[in-house]
Amino acid sequence: MPMTFDELGINLRHTSGQEKTQCPKCSNDRRKSSDQCLSVNIDEGVYKCHHCGWKGSINKTRTPIERPIIKPEEPLTDLPKEVVKWFEERGISEAVVCDAGIGYKDRWIQFPFYKGGEVVNIKSRTSDKQYRQSKDAEKCFYRFDHMVGMEAVIITEGEMDALSMVQAGYNNVVSVPDGAIAPNSNPSDRKFSYLLSAEEHLMGATTVILAMDDDPAGHAMRDELSRRIGREKCYRVTYPTDCKDMNEVLMKYGEDKITEIITDAHPYPIDGVVLVSDVLEDAIDLLNKPDSKGLSTGWSGLDEYYRVSPSEVTVVTGVPNMGKSEWMDALMINMIQDYGWKFGIFSAENFPVKHHLLKLVGKFTGQAFWGDERIDEETARNSMGILNDHIKFIGTQEDSVTIESILDQARILNFRYGLNGLVIDPWNTVEHKFRDSENETNYVSRILASLNTFAKIHEIHIWVVAHPRKMESDNNRKVVVPTPYDISGSANFYNKADNCITVHRHKDEDEDYVGIHVQKIRFQYKNGYTGIGKLNFNIRNGKYGEYFKQDEKPLF
Amino acid sequence: MENILNKTKSHYFKAMGKIKNKPTMDYRIRRMRKRLQEEFDAVWVRHEKGEVTFDVWEKSLNKWFNAESI
């Protein structure tokens, strides 16, 4: 049996996934020799030609997707005196070291990762801070078993910090397995794969104290973890000025200081009273950032009116058939292409999902997905391969979707993948459940408040698409541009949203454009000011482009 | 470590040889390609330092090459 596709003469462009290519058996003899009639599943090692019927499989020795997890053997816990002394110099007693099952081999100190009473991983380090982990072992928190069923969990950045806290009398301490993340980096979901196995316990905990290192990498890790876990229950610690982690605190000040630091842990400033000292460092960070403006939407003509910032809610309205959802999709694709944002989408009017996905692919590639000149399958597959990482569809199964159920799903998606944006399109397809004696105005106020809180806690931008009450016309029988006050339900849409936008198509003898009427911007210093941005809509590929008047169009 | 580096190199050149580069006038796709290429460069550097696994490296490469094939 052949070992590789190369041996069979099958040319592939990728190393995983499904792909279509030319058949080495029949393509050369065909009039349409470029037809990609051979389907190949690279991961499973199977192929089939839809023209000549040639099919088979290769002897795949490696399956990149399903890699078995290997459990390492328990380390030898017979520690040399030098190793015990090394720990004691760092304030950690022999009793704590023995209780943690720490081992030693060659010159490597081995920290076993217990889960369910079994060793699932071993992280080793030398005294000069070289690190390695067991190959193909399961990723989980260090001291995983100690967080099970705990109401309060303390998370540190390294094993030594965790043991320092154990030394100070805390048992509900775990450590992340791979240390911190680089500041300003875009960490992959795999970096946080250990969160999946801890999801139940972290979601169940009422308090999570994040005791990361006091350096930029530690701050980045702390912010990302708190964003995923939920800032409403996360606490930060403050170290003495001459210490950057718990082990240093233990060495310089002793166990009592650790207790003091944990007791003084303060919540993320999200609600209630916020002291200047709570946000001082964050404000200085903002001041020192070279570019503190929101992100461009991708249309330069719109930049001065509307930019996208995290932790905000934007309400988008417009009369039916004016392109609200199309513009929303186009904006989403721009954010994916320009910044790699990840979105959760509830888009009830675009079910089934396959139709919506094709519309998004059309916008993503700039090519039509229908008609004779439609996008080819290979391009569509490549595009979907990228979109798979950036888009998650919400609420596709339930009979009745409520805002609460959307936020629940978004919370889980954010935990697993780290969302940047959430789209609820449109508001009227969501089932609205009023509380006893609650009228529509109070309901809208309550729900928008919960959306605002969700956006701020998780640093997600939420877009809500809502229809106006009814279409109104002026004296010339032209449709009037609706304002957020016209949205069906309540004036709270205008009052409580951070940004309000109306999408309206203007068409007359002189001009034909889509007007993005920015009617409210809360933070004008970074997100723009009210006004009208003009865009052109291309019906073939569903993309919005910069607006040129007919006689201003470039000749070339 | 040397074997790992050779593996990524041969993998990279093999994949590079098979890619069908599609020129595009869409500036947003060009920007996305540039961004994904830069992200892949950073992942490769981190892979050489042993900070990320080969699977992460491969996923990043495929993502960039997917964008080049659009």
Side-chain angles (χ1 to χ4, degrees), chain A residues 12-16 36 190 298 334 336-338 379 382 390 543, chain B residues 11 14 18 20 22 26-28 31 35 56 58 62-63 66 69-70:
Chain A
L12 297 172
R13 292 171 300 282
H14 302 110
T15 54
S16 64
Q36 300 188 328
R190 188 178 289 264
N334 286 359
I336 290 171
Q337 290 185 324
D338 289 353
T379 307
N382 288 332
H390 295 278
K543 285 194 89 155
Chain B
H11 199 102
K14 202 171 170 184
K18 288 175 183 171
K20 277 184 188 171
K22 292 187 179 174
D26 191 323
Y27 77 96
R28 197 155 285 126
R31 274 173 57 181
R35 180 174 62 77
V56 174
E58 191 180 28
N62 284 343
K63 201 168 176 182
N66 269 344
S69 307
I70 289 171

PDB file of all heavy atoms in Angstrom, chain A residues 12-16 36 190 298 334 336-338 379 382 390 543, chain B residues 11 14 18 20 22 26-28 31 35 56 58 62-63 66 69-70:
ATOM      1  N   LEU A  12      -1.088  17.771  -3.879  1.00  0.00           N
ATOM      2  CA  LEU A  12      -1.909  18.463  -2.888  1.00  0.00           C
ATOM      3  C   LEU A  12      -1.247  19.765  -2.488  1.00  0.00           C
ATOM      4  O   LEU A  12      -0.025  19.890  -2.508  1.00  0.00           O
ATOM      5  CB  LEU A  12      -2.088  17.578  -1.641  1.00  0.00           C
ATOM      6  CG  LEU A  12      -2.829  16.249  -1.873  1.00  0.00           C
ATOM      7  CD1 LEU A  12      -2.756  15.400  -0.628  1.00  0.00           C
ATOM      8  CD2 LEU A  12      -4.276  16.513  -2.229  1.00  0.00           C
ATOM      9  N   ARG A  13      -2.101  20.715  -2.122  1.00  0.00           N
ATOM     10  CA  ARG A  13      -1.571  22.018  -1.695  1.00  0.00           C
ATOM     11  C   ARG A  13      -1.507  22.124  -0.174  1.00  0.00           C
ATOM     12  O   ARG A  13      -0.799  22.933   0.367  1.00  0.00           O
ATOM     13  CB  ARG A  13      -2.474  23.143  -2.230  1.00  0.00           C
ATOM     14  CG  ARG A  13      -2.430  23.286  -3.726  1.00  0.00           C
ATOM     15  CD  ARG A  13      -3.493  24.255  -4.213  1.00  0.00           C
ATOM     16  NE  ARG A  13      -4.826  23.809  -3.859  1.00  0.00           N
ATOM     17  CZ  ARG A  13      -5.492  22.841  -4.510  1.00  0.00           C
ATOM     18  NH1 ARG A  13      -4.949  22.237  -5.533  1.00  0.00           N
ATOM     19  NH2 ARG A  13      -6.703  22.488  -4.116  1.00  0.00           N
ATOM     20  N   HIS A  14      -2.328  21.308   0.484  1.00  0.00           N
ATOM     21  CA  HIS A  14      -2.390  21.431   1.943  1.00  0.00           C
ATOM     22  C   HIS A  14      -1.889  20.165   2.613  1.00  0.00           C
ATOM     23  O   HIS A  14      -1.678  19.140   1.949  1.00  0.00           O
ATOM     24  CB  HIS A  14      -3.829  21.720   2.386  1.00  0.00           C
ATOM     25  CG  HIS A  14      -4.373  22.957   1.755  1.00  0.00           C
ATOM     26  ND1 HIS A  14      -5.357  22.927   0.799  1.00  0.00           N
ATOM     27  CD2 HIS A  14      -4.030  24.247   1.904  1.00  0.00           C
ATOM     28  CE1 HIS A  14      -5.611  24.152   0.392  1.00  0.00           C
ATOM     29  NE2 HIS A  14      -4.814  24.978   1.046  1.00  0.00           N
ATOM     30  N   THR A  15      -1.766  20.246   3.897  1.00  0.00           N
ATOM     31  CA  THR A  15      -1.273  19.094   4.654  1.00  0.00           C
ATOM     32  C   THR A  15      -2.358  18.481   5.529  1.00  0.00           C
ATOM     33  O   THR A  15      -2.126  17.477   6.178  1.00  0.00           O
ATOM     34  CB  THR A  15      -0.101  19.524   5.554  1.00  0.00           C
ATOM     35  OG1 THR A  15      -0.525  20.622   6.348  1.00  0.00           O
ATOM     36  CG2 THR A  15       1.095  19.897   4.725  1.00  0.00           C
ATOM     37  N   SER A  16      -3.519  19.101   5.571  1.00  0.00           N
ATOM     38  CA  SER A  16      -4.618  18.528   6.335  1.00  0.00           C
ATOM     39  C   SER A  16      -5.936  18.998   5.743  1.00  0.00           C
ATOM     40  O   SER A  16      -5.968  19.907   4.911  1.00  0.00           O
ATOM     41  CB  SER A  16      -4.512  18.930   7.808  1.00  0.00           C
ATOM     42  OG  SER A  16      -4.655  20.318   7.919  1.00  0.00           O
ATOM     43  N   GLN A  36     -11.032  19.608 -11.362  1.00  0.00           N
ATOM     44  CA  GLN A  36     -10.534  18.985 -10.138  1.00  0.00           C
ATOM     45  C   GLN A  36     -11.532  17.926  -9.692  1.00  0.00           C
ATOM     46  O   GLN A  36     -12.389  18.169  -8.843  1.00  0.00           O
ATOM     47  CB  GLN A  36     -10.314  20.049  -9.076  1.00  0.00           C
ATOM     48  CG  GLN A  36      -9.299  21.082  -9.545  1.00  0.00           C
ATOM     49  CD  GLN A  36      -8.897  22.047  -8.464  1.00  0.00           C
ATOM     50  OE1 GLN A  36      -9.698  22.365  -7.606  1.00  0.00           O
ATOM     51  NE2 GLN A  36      -7.663  22.508  -8.516  1.00  0.00           N
ATOM     52  N   ARG A 190      -5.191  27.015  21.615  1.00  0.00           N
ATOM     53  CA  ARG A 190      -4.457  25.878  22.142  1.00  0.00           C
ATOM     54  C   ARG A 190      -3.668  26.272  23.385  1.00  0.00           C
ATOM     55  O   ARG A 190      -3.464  25.478  24.288  1.00  0.00           O
ATOM     56  CB  ARG A 190      -3.513  25.354  21.054  1.00  0.00           C
ATOM     57  CG  ARG A 190      -2.831  24.061  21.412  1.00  0.00           C
ATOM     58  CD  ARG A 190      -1.968  23.627  20.270  1.00  0.00           C
ATOM     59  NE  ARG A 190      -2.769  23.183  19.165  1.00  0.00           N
ATOM     60  CZ  ARG A 190      -3.073  21.901  18.947  1.00  0.00           C
ATOM     61  NH1 ARG A 190      -2.640  20.993  19.764  1.00  0.00           N
ATOM     62  NH2 ARG A 190      -3.797  21.562  17.913  1.00  0.00           N
ATOM     63  N   GLY A 298     -12.645  49.574   8.295  1.00  0.00           N
ATOM     64  CA  GLY A 298     -12.171  49.089   7.000  1.00  0.00           C
ATOM     65  C   GLY A 298     -12.604  49.991   5.858  1.00  0.00           C
ATOM     66  O   GLY A 298     -12.168  49.821   4.730  1.00  0.00           O
ATOM     67  N   ASN A 334     -14.745  42.536   7.468  1.00  0.00           N
ATOM     68  CA  ASN A 334     -13.608  43.476   7.516  1.00  0.00           C
ATOM     69  C   ASN A 334     -12.802  43.306   8.798  1.00  0.00           C
ATOM     70  O   ASN A 334     -11.567  43.322   8.785  1.00  0.00           O
ATOM     71  CB  ASN A 334     -14.119  44.926   7.443  1.00  0.00           C
ATOM     72  CG  ASN A 334     -14.580  45.294   6.048  1.00  0.00           C
ATOM     73  OD1 ASN A 334     -14.493  44.487   5.139  1.00  0.00           O
ATOM     74  ND2 ASN A 334     -15.084  46.507   5.885  1.00  0.00           N
ATOM     75  N   ILE A 336     -12.570  40.680  10.617  1.00  0.00           N
ATOM     76  CA  ILE A 336     -11.856  39.387  10.581  1.00  0.00           C
ATOM     77  C   ILE A 336     -10.608  39.524   9.719  1.00  0.00           C
ATOM     78  O   ILE A 336      -9.514  39.086  10.100  1.00  0.00           O
ATOM     79  CB  ILE A 336     -12.780  38.285  10.021  1.00  0.00           C
ATOM     80  CG1 ILE A 336     -13.883  37.963  11.027  1.00  0.00           C
ATOM     81  CG2 ILE A 336     -11.984  37.021   9.698  1.00  0.00           C
ATOM     82  CD1 ILE A 336     -14.969  37.058  10.491  1.00  0.00           C
ATOM     83  N   GLN A 337     -10.776  40.133   8.554  1.00  0.00           N
ATOM     84  CA  GLN A 337      -9.637  40.213   7.636  1.00  0.00           C
ATOM     85  C   GLN A 337      -8.551  41.165   8.144  1.00  0.00           C
ATOM     86  O   GLN A 337      -7.364  40.898   8.008  1.00  0.00           O
ATOM     87  CB  GLN A 337     -10.116  40.664   6.256  1.00  0.00           C
ATOM     88  CG  GLN A 337     -10.948  39.593   5.562  1.00  0.00           C
ATOM     89  CD  GLN A 337     -11.333  39.959   4.152  1.00  0.00           C
ATOM     90  OE1 GLN A 337     -11.596  41.129   3.858  1.00  0.00           O
ATOM     91  NE2 GLN A 337     -11.402  38.967   3.281  1.00  0.00           N
ATOM     92  N   ASP A 338      -8.970  42.276   8.727  1.00  0.00           N
ATOM     93  CA  ASP A 338      -7.980  43.276   9.136  1.00  0.00           C
ATOM     94  C   ASP A 338      -7.359  42.984  10.497  1.00  0.00           C
ATOM     95  O   ASP A 338      -6.192  43.287  10.725  1.00  0.00           O
ATOM     96  CB  ASP A 338      -8.622  44.673   9.169  1.00  0.00           C
ATOM     97  CG  ASP A 338      -8.919  45.173   7.777  1.00  0.00           C
ATOM     98  OD1 ASP A 338      -8.504  44.493   6.823  1.00  0.00           O
ATOM     99  OD2 ASP A 338      -9.575  46.218   7.622  1.00  0.00           O
ATOM    100  N   THR A 379     -11.601  27.764  -3.705  1.00  0.00           N
ATOM    101  CA  THR A 379     -11.513  29.058  -3.009  1.00  0.00           C
ATOM    102  C   THR A 379     -12.496  29.113  -1.847  1.00  0.00           C
ATOM    103  O   THR A 379     -12.165  29.606  -0.761  1.00  0.00           O
ATOM    104  CB  THR A 379     -11.813  30.209  -4.000  1.00  0.00           C
ATOM    105  OG1 THR A 379     -10.955  30.056  -5.121  1.00  0.00           O
ATOM    106  CG2 THR A 379     -11.584  31.552  -3.361  1.00  0.00           C
ATOM    107  N   ASN A 382     -11.095  27.062   1.011  1.00  0.00           N
ATOM    108  CA  ASN A 382     -10.000  27.763   1.694  1.00  0.00           C
ATOM    109  C   ASN A 382     -10.536  28.882   2.580  1.00  0.00           C
ATOM    110  O   ASN A 382     -10.063  29.098   3.694  1.00  0.00           O
ATOM    111  CB  ASN A 382      -9.017  28.335   0.666  1.00  0.00           C
ATOM    112  CG  ASN A 382      -8.204  27.242   0.009  1.00  0.00           C
ATOM    113  OD1 ASN A 382      -7.964  26.197   0.613  1.00  0.00           O
ATOM    114  ND2 ASN A 382      -7.791  27.454  -1.221  1.00  0.00           N
ATOM    115  N   HIS A 390     -12.918  31.956  13.008  1.00  0.00           N
ATOM    116  CA  HIS A 390     -13.326  33.312  13.403  1.00  0.00           C
ATOM    117  C   HIS A 390     -14.819  33.480  13.634  1.00  0.00           C
ATOM    118  O   HIS A 390     -15.230  34.507  14.162  1.00  0.00           O
ATOM    119  CB  HIS A 390     -12.860  34.312  12.330  1.00  0.00           C
ATOM    120  CG  HIS A 390     -11.376  34.401  12.216  1.00  0.00           C
ATOM    121  ND1 HIS A 390     -10.615  35.170  13.055  1.00  0.00           N
ATOM    122  CD2 HIS A 390     -10.504  33.788  11.400  1.00  0.00           C
ATOM    123  CE1 HIS A 390      -9.342  35.041  12.747  1.00  0.00           C
ATOM    124  NE2 HIS A 390      -9.242  34.208  11.753  1.00  0.00           N
ATOM    125  N   LYS A 543     -20.413  43.084  -1.176  1.00  0.00           N
ATOM    126  CA  LYS A 543     -19.430  43.892  -0.449  1.00  0.00           C
ATOM    127  C   LYS A 543     -19.779  45.375  -0.513  1.00  0.00           C
ATOM    128  O   LYS A 543     -20.383  45.849  -1.477  1.00  0.00           O
ATOM    129  CB  LYS A 543     -18.030  43.688  -1.046  1.00  0.00           C
ATOM    130  CG  LYS A 543     -17.410  42.366  -0.684  1.00  0.00           C
ATOM    131  CD  LYS A 543     -15.942  42.345  -0.983  1.00  0.00           C
ATOM    132  CE  LYS A 543     -15.147  42.844   0.181  1.00  0.00           C
ATOM    133  NZ  LYS A 543     -13.791  42.347   0.236  1.00  0.00           N
TER     134      LYS A 543
ATOM    135  N   HIS B  11       8.811  20.692   5.469  1.00  0.00           N
ATOM    136  CA  HIS B  11       7.355  20.815   5.403  1.00  0.00           C
ATOM    137  C   HIS B  11       6.959  22.137   4.736  1.00  0.00           C
ATOM    138  O   HIS B  11       6.090  22.183   3.868  1.00  0.00           O
ATOM    139  CB  HIS B  11       6.813  20.769   6.830  1.00  0.00           C
ATOM    140  CG  HIS B  11       5.377  20.429   6.909  1.00  0.00           C
ATOM    141  ND1 HIS B  11       4.933  19.184   7.242  1.00  0.00           N
ATOM    142  CD2 HIS B  11       4.273  21.170   6.675  1.00  0.00           C
ATOM    143  CE1 HIS B  11       3.620  19.179   7.214  1.00  0.00           C
ATOM    144  NE2 HIS B  11       3.199  20.384   6.885  1.00  0.00           N
ATOM    145  N   LYS B  14       7.869  22.151   0.993  1.00  0.00           N
ATOM    146  CA  LYS B  14       6.978  21.249   0.270  1.00  0.00           C
ATOM    147  C   LYS B  14       5.610  21.912   0.060  1.00  0.00           C
ATOM    148  O   LYS B  14       5.062  21.917  -1.045  1.00  0.00           O
ATOM    149  CB  LYS B  14       6.803  19.967   1.085  1.00  0.00           C
ATOM    150  CG  LYS B  14       6.378  18.774   0.284  1.00  0.00           C
ATOM    151  CD  LYS B  14       6.471  17.538   1.169  1.00  0.00           C
ATOM    152  CE  LYS B  14       5.828  16.344   0.493  1.00  0.00           C
ATOM    153  NZ  LYS B  14       5.819  15.185   1.361  1.00  0.00           N
ATOM    154  N   LYS B  18       3.651  23.625  -3.534  1.00  0.00           N
ATOM    155  CA  LYS B  18       2.350  23.187  -4.051  1.00  0.00           C
ATOM    156  C   LYS B  18       1.312  24.303  -4.088  1.00  0.00           C
ATOM    157  O   LYS B  18       0.254  24.138  -4.676  1.00  0.00           O
ATOM    158  CB  LYS B  18       1.811  22.056  -3.166  1.00  0.00           C
ATOM    159  CG  LYS B  18       2.559  20.756  -3.358  1.00  0.00           C
ATOM    160  CD  LYS B  18       2.047  19.733  -2.373  1.00  0.00           C
ATOM    161  CE  LYS B  18       2.836  18.444  -2.515  1.00  0.00           C
ATOM    162  NZ  LYS B  18       2.525  17.507  -1.441  1.00  0.00           N
ATOM    163  N   LYS B  20      -0.942  27.366  -4.920  1.00  0.00           N
ATOM    164  CA  LYS B  20      -1.307  28.119  -6.126  1.00  0.00           C
ATOM    165  C   LYS B  20      -1.534  29.555  -5.701  1.00  0.00           C
ATOM    166  O   LYS B  20      -2.569  29.884  -5.124  1.00  0.00           O
ATOM    167  CB  LYS B  20      -2.601  27.556  -6.721  1.00  0.00           C
ATOM    168  CG  LYS B  20      -2.407  26.349  -7.595  1.00  0.00           C
ATOM    169  CD  LYS B  20      -3.753  25.976  -8.187  1.00  0.00           C
ATOM    170  CE  LYS B  20      -3.660  24.656  -8.928  1.00  0.00           C
ATOM    171  NZ  LYS B  20      -4.998  24.178  -9.328  1.00  0.00           N
ATOM    172  N   LYS B  22      -2.671  33.096  -5.901  1.00  0.00           N
ATOM    173  CA  LYS B  22      -3.646  33.809  -6.730  1.00  0.00           C
ATOM    174  C   LYS B  22      -3.504  35.309  -6.500  1.00  0.00           C
ATOM    175  O   LYS B  22      -3.849  35.786  -5.427  1.00  0.00           O
ATOM    176  CB  LYS B  22      -5.061  33.355  -6.367  1.00  0.00           C
ATOM    177  CG  LYS B  22      -5.353  31.930  -6.759  1.00  0.00           C
ATOM    178  CD  LYS B  22      -6.821  31.636  -6.512  1.00  0.00           C
ATOM    179  CE  LYS B  22      -7.155  30.221  -6.913  1.00  0.00           C
ATOM    180  NZ  LYS B  22      -8.523  29.856  -6.562  1.00  0.00           N
ATOM    181  N   ASP B  26      -7.962  42.857  -4.474  1.00  0.00           N
ATOM    182  CA  ASP B  26      -8.683  43.215  -3.255  1.00  0.00           C
ATOM    183  C   ASP B  26      -7.674  43.558  -2.151  1.00  0.00           C
ATOM    184  O   ASP B  26      -6.977  42.673  -1.648  1.00  0.00           O
ATOM    185  CB  ASP B  26      -9.568  42.037  -2.828  1.00  0.00           C
ATOM    186  CG  ASP B  26     -10.539  42.420  -1.723  1.00  0.00           C
ATOM    187  OD1 ASP B  26     -10.127  43.218  -0.847  1.00  0.00           O
ATOM    188  OD2 ASP B  26     -11.679  41.937  -1.731  1.00  0.00           O
ATOM    189  N   TYR B  27      -7.582  44.831  -1.800  1.00  0.00           N
ATOM    190  CA  TYR B  27      -6.540  45.247  -0.865  1.00  0.00           C
ATOM    191  C   TYR B  27      -6.745  44.651   0.521  1.00  0.00           C
ATOM    192  O   TYR B  27      -5.806  44.424   1.268  1.00  0.00           O
ATOM    193  CB  TYR B  27      -6.446  46.775  -0.793  1.00  0.00           C
ATOM    194  CG  TYR B  27      -7.520  47.439   0.014  1.00  0.00           C
ATOM    195  CD1 TYR B  27      -7.298  47.780   1.344  1.00  0.00           C
ATOM    196  CD2 TYR B  27      -8.739  47.757  -0.547  1.00  0.00           C
ATOM    197  CE1 TYR B  27      -8.280  48.400   2.092  1.00  0.00           C
ATOM    198  CE2 TYR B  27      -9.723  48.358   0.176  1.00  0.00           C
ATOM    199  CZ  TYR B  27      -9.499  48.685   1.496  1.00  0.00           C
ATOM    200  OH  TYR B  27     -10.470  49.293   2.228  1.00  0.00           O
ATOM    201  N   ARG B  28      -8.009  44.356   0.844  1.00  0.00           N
ATOM    202  CA  ARG B  28      -8.271  43.801   2.168  1.00  0.00           C
ATOM    203  C   ARG B  28      -7.742  42.368   2.268  1.00  0.00           C
ATOM    204  O   ARG B  28      -7.193  41.966   3.292  1.00  0.00           O
ATOM    205  CB  ARG B  28      -9.786  43.841   2.436  1.00  0.00           C
ATOM    206  CG  ARG B  28     -10.109  43.671   3.885  1.00  0.00           C
ATOM    207  CD  ARG B  28     -11.417  44.285   4.248  1.00  0.00           C
ATOM    208  NE  ARG B  28     -11.350  45.713   4.327  1.00  0.00           N
ATOM    209  CZ  ARG B  28     -12.152  46.532   3.666  1.00  0.00           C
ATOM    210  NH1 ARG B  28     -13.053  46.071   2.852  1.00  0.00           N
ATOM    211  NH2 ARG B  28     -12.024  47.834   3.826  1.00  0.00           N
ATOM    212  N   ARG B  31      -4.024  42.650   2.608  1.00  0.00           N
ATOM    213  CA  ARG B  31      -3.647  42.996   3.990  1.00  0.00           C
ATOM    214  C   ARG B  31      -3.773  41.786   4.913  1.00  0.00           C
ATOM    215  O   ARG B  31      -2.938  41.561   5.792  1.00  0.00           O
ATOM    216  CB  ARG B  31      -4.540  44.130   4.504  1.00  0.00           C
ATOM    217  CG  ARG B  31      -4.007  45.494   4.114  1.00  0.00           C
ATOM    218  CD  ARG B  31      -4.957  46.590   4.467  1.00  0.00           C
ATOM    219  NE  ARG B  31      -5.319  46.628   5.878  1.00  0.00           N
ATOM    220  CZ  ARG B  31      -6.160  47.498   6.390  1.00  0.00           C
ATOM    221  NH1 ARG B  31      -6.714  48.403   5.610  1.00  0.00           N
ATOM    222  NH2 ARG B  31      -6.451  47.489   7.660  1.00  0.00           N
ATOM    223  N   ARG B  35      -0.906  40.057   7.146  1.00  0.00           N
ATOM    224  CA  ARG B  35      -1.056  39.857   8.591  1.00  0.00           C
ATOM    225  C   ARG B  35      -0.839  38.398   8.967  1.00  0.00           C
ATOM    226  O   ARG B  35      -0.105  38.089   9.916  1.00  0.00           O
ATOM    227  CB  ARG B  35      -2.463  40.299   9.014  1.00  0.00           C
ATOM    228  CG  ARG B  35      -2.752  40.141  10.487  1.00  0.00           C
ATOM    229  CD  ARG B  35      -4.090  40.734  10.869  1.00  0.00           C
ATOM    230  NE  ARG B  35      -5.215  40.112  10.219  1.00  0.00           N
ATOM    231  CZ  ARG B  35      -5.724  38.941  10.573  1.00  0.00           C
ATOM    232  NH1 ARG B  35      -5.195  38.264  11.577  1.00  0.00           N
ATOM    233  NH2 ARG B  35      -6.750  38.433   9.933  1.00  0.00           N
ATOM    234  N   VAL B  56       0.559  23.669  16.189  1.00  0.00           N
ATOM    235  CA  VAL B  56       0.251  25.105  16.143  1.00  0.00           C
ATOM    236  C   VAL B  56       0.947  25.728  14.942  1.00  0.00           C
ATOM    237  O   VAL B  56       0.380  26.540  14.204  1.00  0.00           O
ATOM    238  CB  VAL B  56       0.710  25.798  17.447  1.00  0.00           C
ATOM    239  CG1 VAL B  56       0.524  27.296  17.355  1.00  0.00           C
ATOM    240  CG2 VAL B  56      -0.059  25.240  18.630  1.00  0.00           C
ATOM    241  N   GLU B  58       1.840  24.224  12.191  1.00  0.00           N
ATOM    242  CA  GLU B  58       1.208  23.741  10.965  1.00  0.00           C
ATOM    243  C   GLU B  58      -0.120  24.443  10.719  1.00  0.00           C
ATOM    244  O   GLU B  58      -0.453  24.809   9.595  1.00  0.00           O
ATOM    245  CB  GLU B  58       0.995  22.235  11.089  1.00  0.00           C
ATOM    246  CG  GLU B  58       0.595  21.568   9.791  1.00  0.00           C
ATOM    247  CD  GLU B  58       0.407  20.069   9.964  1.00  0.00           C
ATOM    248  OE1 GLU B  58       0.059  19.635  11.079  1.00  0.00           O
ATOM    249  OE2 GLU B  58       0.633  19.345   8.991  1.00  0.00           O
ATOM    250  N   ASN B  62      -1.049  26.618   7.465  1.00  0.00           N
ATOM    251  CA  ASN B  62      -2.212  26.321   6.620  1.00  0.00           C
ATOM    252  C   ASN B  62      -3.136  27.527   6.495  1.00  0.00           C
ATOM    253  O   ASN B  62      -3.706  27.782   5.443  1.00  0.00           O
ATOM    254  CB  ASN B  62      -2.989  25.131   7.184  1.00  0.00           C
ATOM    255  CG  ASN B  62      -2.289  23.821   6.891  1.00  0.00           C
ATOM    256  OD1 ASN B  62      -1.426  23.766   6.021  1.00  0.00           O
ATOM    257  ND2 ASN B  62      -2.622  22.789   7.631  1.00  0.00           N
ATOM    258  N   LYS B  63      -3.263  28.255   7.605  1.00  0.00           N
ATOM    259  CA  LYS B  63      -4.148  29.429   7.589  1.00  0.00           C
ATOM    260  C   LYS B  63      -3.615  30.476   6.608  1.00  0.00           C
ATOM    261  O   LYS B  63      -4.364  31.041   5.811  1.00  0.00           O
ATOM    262  CB  LYS B  63      -4.224  30.011   8.998  1.00  0.00           C
ATOM    263  CG  LYS B  63      -5.433  30.864   9.244  1.00  0.00           C
ATOM    264  CD  LYS B  63      -5.564  31.153  10.712  1.00  0.00           C
ATOM    265  CE  LYS B  63      -6.710  32.082  10.972  1.00  0.00           C
ATOM    266  NZ  LYS B  63      -6.850  32.436  12.370  1.00  0.00           N
ATOM    267  N   ASN B  66      -3.993  29.119   3.083  1.00  0.00           N
ATOM    268  CA  ASN B  66      -5.402  29.213   2.685  1.00  0.00           C
ATOM    269  C   ASN B  66      -5.701  30.613   2.159  1.00  0.00           C
ATOM    270  O   ASN B  66      -6.364  30.780   1.150  1.00  0.00           O
ATOM    271  CB  ASN B  66      -6.303  28.938   3.881  1.00  0.00           C
ATOM    272  CG  ASN B  66      -6.665  27.473   4.002  1.00  0.00           C
ATOM    273  OD1 ASN B  66      -6.498  26.715   3.052  1.00  0.00           O
ATOM    274  ND2 ASN B  66      -7.128  27.067   5.158  1.00  0.00           N
ATOM    275  N   SER B  69      -4.453  31.289  -1.242  1.00  0.00           N
ATOM    276  CA  SER B  69      -5.147  30.555  -2.307  1.00  0.00           C
ATOM    277  C   SER B  69      -6.545  31.106  -2.588  1.00  0.00           C
ATOM    278  O   SER B  69      -7.294  30.513  -3.349  1.00  0.00           O
ATOM    279  CB  SER B  69      -5.274  29.078  -1.913  1.00  0.00           C
ATOM    280  OG  SER B  69      -4.032  28.548  -1.581  1.00  0.00           O
ATOM    281  N   ILE B  70      -6.903  32.186  -1.938  1.00  0.00           N
ATOM    282  CA  ILE B  70      -8.257  32.737  -2.154  1.00  0.00           C
ATOM    283  C   ILE B  70      -8.270  33.613  -3.402  1.00  0.00           C
ATOM    284  O   ILE B  70      -7.399  34.464  -3.530  1.00  0.00           O
ATOM    285  CB  ILE B  70      -8.714  33.533  -0.916  1.00  0.00           C
ATOM    286  CG1 ILE B  70      -8.994  32.557   0.214  1.00  0.00           C
ATOM    287  CG2 ILE B  70      -9.962  34.348  -1.199  1.00  0.00           C
ATOM    288  CD1 ILE B  70      -9.232  33.233   1.524  1.00  0.00           C
TER     289      ILE B  70
END
